[in-house]
Amino acid sequence: MEACGSSSVSLREFGCEQSLLSRPDGSASFTQGDTSVLAAVYGPAEVKVSKEIYDRATLEVLIQPKVGLPGVRERSQEQCVRETCEASLLLTLHPRSSLTLILQVIHDAGSLLSCCLNAACMALMDAGLPMSCLFCGVTCAIDTDGQIITDPTAAQEKESRALMTFAVDSKDRKVLMSLTKGSFSVHELQQCIAVSQKASEKIFQFYRDSVRRRYSKTL
Amino acid sequence: MFIIILMAVKVSYLQPSVCQWTAEPLEYHRSFLRENCRPDGRELSEFRTTTLNIGSISTADGSALVKVGNTTVICGIKAELTNPTVEAPGKGYIVPNVDLPPLCSSRFRPGPPGEQAQAASQFIADVIESSEVIQTEDLCIDRGKLCWVLYCDLMCLDYDGNVLDACMIALLAALKNTQLPEVTISTETSTPVVNLEKRHELHIHKHPVGASFCVFDDSILIVDPTAEEESLSTAELTVVTDEKDRLCAVHKPGGTSLSGEKLQECISRATARQREIQKLINKVIHSVKTAQ
């Protein structure tokens, strides 16, 4: 656990634990404040003939909500997570095989999609899959006064005028994925992207610290 | 004679063969993009011809048929009376549904809607909510007792890429075409009385229009991709703007990263597209009215 609330960009407290499950090839749990997601990766494994792609691995992402069955909203989030992972994973190194990423929502207290992305990245790292870069998710909310709140809680999300989630890559800090809600001006969008890029530095630093801590223990 | 032969050689060199199109589709597209054009003769920032037909389904309360190149989407709106939800007693609601049947492309199988259809439905629902195209308060008839629910069914008849843009246009045109009958609540029986003779139009507050882009080889940006371009591209992006130049959605479901300048380019192209489409819709509605 590490506190992360200084300077201009304030994020809630992060927490991460890797390889906490025994059966999957890689697993991680990621918490941001009270929001918590458990991720598991299986693969590379044998693929169904109908889903086989001849020159790269097939990635499947499943998001399981805390209660009930996955619906249309989860499907749309799955699409976002899958395409972000596809962009950073070197899938061509494992042709005709399958990768499965399961994200189990433990608790949603705001910024769920960004927490899912962070958990996914940590689990893929734990599975030791070849990647071209890392990625992280950042959620920004614009409140009624026009203030930008990073990593909002569920209550802040509800009060906000606009809500944006970005995935930022570790190589050039560019936007891999963007999903928005509410209306906003071009200037506000650019501000939010700049804030997310700044926040991503902290998240990547946290990734680095938590992986370092883990390996210093095992060695 | 000699000159003609030389020219023929040059032309065949410039135009990659059909053979390459089937064997190496990506290389085929690249050879066109190097010359700043596309296999169908368009420039990189050129949309396909968009045609619009309003009121195509006479039995629906509102309908529109949109063609963007070969991509065809039909939208029908059915209005039903229902009880408002407990959480929002003063509001009606809108239920969009995008259907990608096996008819429109070989990539879709029969059965329950696939991921792409569900993601498209969610995207349309998000845009309706974000842009406030209709104030849901307008759909309320009697607070806590009676309201309208608009079922917006969008069906793709021919899938040739960029289905989200086509859906947005079809939905907006169909909503502008919707005529709701007048409903009064009779004081004696306290049941709703529908007067089908007297109809009124919906009040459209905003005109959100989308513009979709594809990224080729991590750097080249093209607008309005065809199905083939979509499958070969490394990333997709949809920007939705309204008439006041506010952004209603910047939807990029993953793929390779995009720089700030490229994003700005997409936004300015999207605002120009919004003007074009709003003009088109107004023109079609005007021509329908004068014809009556």
Side-chain angles (χ1 to χ4, degrees):
Chain A
M1 283 282 180
E2 184 175 314
C4 215
S6 59
S7 73
S8 58
V9 183
S10 82
L11 299 164
R12 288 177 290 176
E13 203 168 275
F14 293 129
C16 178
E17 194 183 343
Q18 281 182 311
S19 36
L20 67 165
L21 302 175
S22 67
R23 294 300 298 160
D25 297 300
S27 60
S29 83
F30 204 94
T31 51
Q32 290 174 223
D34 291 334
T35 306
S36 177
V37 173
L38 183 63
V41 182
Y42 289 94
E46 205 172 331
V47 66
K48 256 198 232 165
V49 182
S50 60
K51 287 179 182 169
E52 188 183 84
I53 309 172
Y54 70 92
D55 62 346
R56 61 193 165 95
T58 312
L59 177 67
E60 211 176 340
V61 175
L62 297 164
I63 295 182
Q64 299 288 337
K66 188 168 139 187
V67 281
L69 291 168
V72 180
R73 184 167 296 278
E74 279 74 24
R75 249 332 104 66
S76 146
Q77 288 177 340
E78 278 170 14
Q79 190 195 27
C80 290
V81 176
R82 197 194 65 229
E83 296 198 13
T84 310
C85 294
E86 278 176 355
S88 70
L89 281 167
L90 298 169
L91 293 172
T92 41
L93 296 179
H94 299 285
R96 293 171 212 231
S97 51
S98 96
L99 294 174
T100 317
L101 170 66
I102 299 122
L103 294 158
Q104 172 68 54
V105 179
I106 310 277
H107 187 65
D108 178 12
S111 317
L112 180 67
L113 185 56
S114 58
C115 192
C116 282
L117 285 163
N118 292 335
C121 186
M122 286 309 249
L124 292 174
M125 230 194 291
D126 185 48
L129 290 166
M131 293 165 94
S132 61
C133 61
L134 299 179
F135 59 88
C136 72
V138 186
T139 303
C140 296
I142 305 177
D143 67 9
T144 39
D145 309 327
Q147 291 289 320
I148 298 170
I149 308 165
T150 45
D151 198 16
T153 61
Q156 283 169 329
E157 271 185 9
K158 218 169 188 178
E159 282 167 17
S160 69
R161 181 161 59 82
L163 194 69
M164 307 175 205
T165 303
F166 301 106
V168 184
D169 74 303
S170 63
K171 211 161 55 186
D172 329 289
R173 305 281 189 270
K174 278 194 201 161
V175 176
L176 282 174
M177 186 230 41
S178 115
L179 193 69
T180 65
K181 234 181 149 190
S183 66
F184 44 87
S185 67
V186 181
H187 182 65
E188 282 171 331
L189 174 75
Q190 282 166 340
Q191 266 184 326
C192 282
I193 291 178
V195 167
S196 314
Q197 284 168 334
K198 216 185 233 174
S200 73
E201 305 277 344
K202 283 189 179 176
I203 301 173
F204 287 130
Q205 190 54 47
F206 173 74
Y207 279 5
R208 188 172 284 278
D209 291 345
S210 81
V211 170
R212 181 180 292 148
R213 206 171 317 124
R214 181 185 155 213
Y215 284 107
S216 66
K217 259 183 232 163
T218 50
L219 285 174
Chain B
M1 190 64 196
F2 188 58
I3 296 166
I4 294 168
I5 293 165
L6 263 183
M7 272 177 69
V9 169
K10 184 140 197 252
V11 166
S12 68
Y13 167 71
L14 270 174
Q15 290 198 327
S17 59
V18 179
C19 203
Q20 195 191 9
W21 172 57
T22 46
E24 295 176 303
L26 190 57
E27 208 42 59
Y28 175 76
H29 277 264
R30 275 184 193 143
S31 62
F32 279 96
L33 295 175
R34 271 198 292 273
E35 308 290 332
N36 276 326
C37 66
R38 287 150 78 174
D40 50 8
R42 282 187 289 160
E43 281 179 29
L44 299 191
S45 64
E46 195 180 333
F47 277 88
R48 289 172 284 182
T49 349
T50 309
T51 47
L52 179 62
N53 186 329
I54 283 179
S56 341
I57 312 169
S58 57
T59 49
D61 294 296
S63 61
L65 178 95
V66 173
K67 285 194 82 168
V68 180
N70 287 330
T71 302
T72 314
V73 172
I74 192 160
C75 175
I77 292 180
K78 180 157 182 56
E80 277 181 17
L81 289 169
T82 185
N83 300 323
T85 54
V86 185
E87 299 93 64
K91 288 178 180 177
Y93 45 99
I94 306 170
V95 185
N97 185 40
V98 179
D99 197 5
L100 299 171
L103 165 86
C104 70
S105 168
S106 61
R107 71 169 79 182
F108 304 116
R109 304 261 126 230
E115 190 200 67
Q116 198 184 349
Q118 291 192 34
S121 298
Q122 181 67 41
F123 173 77
I124 298 290
D126 282 343
V127 170
I128 291 172
E129 204 192 320
S130 307
S131 63
E132 292 167 332
V133 55
I134 288 178
Q135 302 256 300
T136 41
E137 288 84 358
D138 295 352
L139 298 174
C140 183
I141 301 161
D142 192 5
R143 196 184 152 82
K145 287 184 187 136
L146 199 65
C147 71
W148 285 112
V149 53
L150 301 180
Y151 291 105
C152 310
D153 286 302
L154 294 140
M155 188 178 276
C156 181
L157 301 177
D158 192 346
Y159 185 93
D160 194 14
N162 200 4
V163 79
L164 290 182
D165 283 15
C167 283
M168 286 295 316
I169 302 169
L171 178 77
L172 185 59
L175 283 173
K176 282 195 84 113
N177 174 243
T178 304
Q179 304 264 339
L180 290 181
E182 196 183 65
V183 180
T184 45
I185 294 179
S186 98
T187 42
E188 290 156 23
T189 54
S190 63
T191 45
V193 181
V194 181
N195 184 3
L196 288 171
E197 299 297 305
K198 210 173 169 188
R199 283 172 176 266
H200 63 90
E201 282 181 3
L202 274 173
H203 187 56
I204 309 291
H205 292 261
K206 296 275 174 63
H207 293 80
V209 174
S212 289
F213 305 85
C214 259
V215 182
F216 248 91
D217 287 337
D218 308 343
S219 56
I220 306 163
L221 203 69
I222 56 171
V223 304
D224 188 20
T226 61
E228 201 179 276
E229 285 165 338
E230 265 181 12
S231 62
L232 294 169
S233 71
T234 50
E236 285 174 49
L237 170 75
T238 305
V239 180
V240 182
T241 56
D242 65 14
E243 67 266 43
K244 287 186 181 131
D245 290 350
R246 284 183 78 78
L247 299 166
C248 306
V250 180
H251 185 71
K252 185 175 182 300
T256 49
S257 56
L258 203 66
S259 67
E261 300 89 69
K262 291 269 183 209
L263 189 67
Q264 191 55 50
E265 224 177 281
C266 295
I267 293 170
S268 36
R269 186 71 190 88
T271 47
R273 173 74 170 167
Q274 199 279 337
R275 305 272 184 281
E276 288 165 26
I277 294 301
Q278 198 176 343
K279 212 185 270 174
L280 174 74
I281 293 177
N282 286 339
K283 210 167 98 184
V284 174
I285 286 180
H286 184 73
S287 72
V288 167
K289 271 186 187 150
T290 48
Q292 277 172 356

